[in-house]
Amino acid sequence: MESTELIPLSGDVAKITRRAEEFKDLHEALQRNLQTYLPLTMEALAGVHQKIKSSVVPDATRQMTLAALRRKSRSLIIFAGILKYRMSPDIYSYLARLDVEIAL
């Protein structure tokens, strides 16, 4: 998902804002399925976060990886927030819950 740049996960707020503005120009199928692929992306981030958190990787590497996952999660939340009213409130609350899990 990251390589498609459909969802900006870089942490750069300017880039996230620009992608959100460009979102209205994307194909209608991509716009319609936003509430499917945003939660799937967040679930993937949360899954990787759990695996890394419980792994036996050296602490410095683990902390760097977890920080990168938190940045990506936060980027997704910002992107979803800019695209207000395009998804049901349940989706936003689900994304926020997963973001909190990743932040811990």
Side-chain angles (χ1 to χ4, degrees):
M1 189 55 88
E2 191 170 4
S3 65
T4 66
E5 294 191 10
L6 183 61
I7 303 170
L9 299 175
S10 65
D12 179 2
V13 176
K15 185 175 181 179
I16 294 168
T17 303
R18 186 172 50 255
R19 288 298 296 153
E21 290 169 358
E22 294 168 353
F23 186 77
K24 68 181 181 308
D25 299 329
L26 294 177
H27 191 275
E28 188 265 332
L30 291 172
Q31 293 180 35
R32 186 178 59 242
N33 290 303
L34 177 70
Q35 61 186 5
T36 300
Y37 59 80
L38 280 185
L40 289 174
T41 303
M42 188 65 95
E43 287 170 5
L45 291 172
V48 171
H49 178 266
Q50 286 302 319
K51 285 185 180 188
I52 295 297
K53 198 172 181 180
S54 63
S55 72
V56 292
V57 178
D59 193 48
T61 304
R62 181 175 38 234
Q63 293 306 320
M64 284 177 39
T65 305
L66 292 174
L69 289 169
R70 283 191 290 272
R71 183 180 63 248
K72 290 176 183 187
S73 169
R74 180 58 33 197
S75 297
L76 191 147
I77 289 292
I78 293 169
F79 182 69
I82 294 171
L83 296 175
K84 279 187 176 174
Y85 312 117
R86 293 187 185 254
M87 298 182 292
S88 74
D90 294 339
I91 300 293
Y92 287 107
S93 63
Y94 181 68
L95 292 173
R97 184 177 61 77
L98 287 176
D99 183 51
V100 169
E101 287 179 18
I102 292 171
L104 297 176

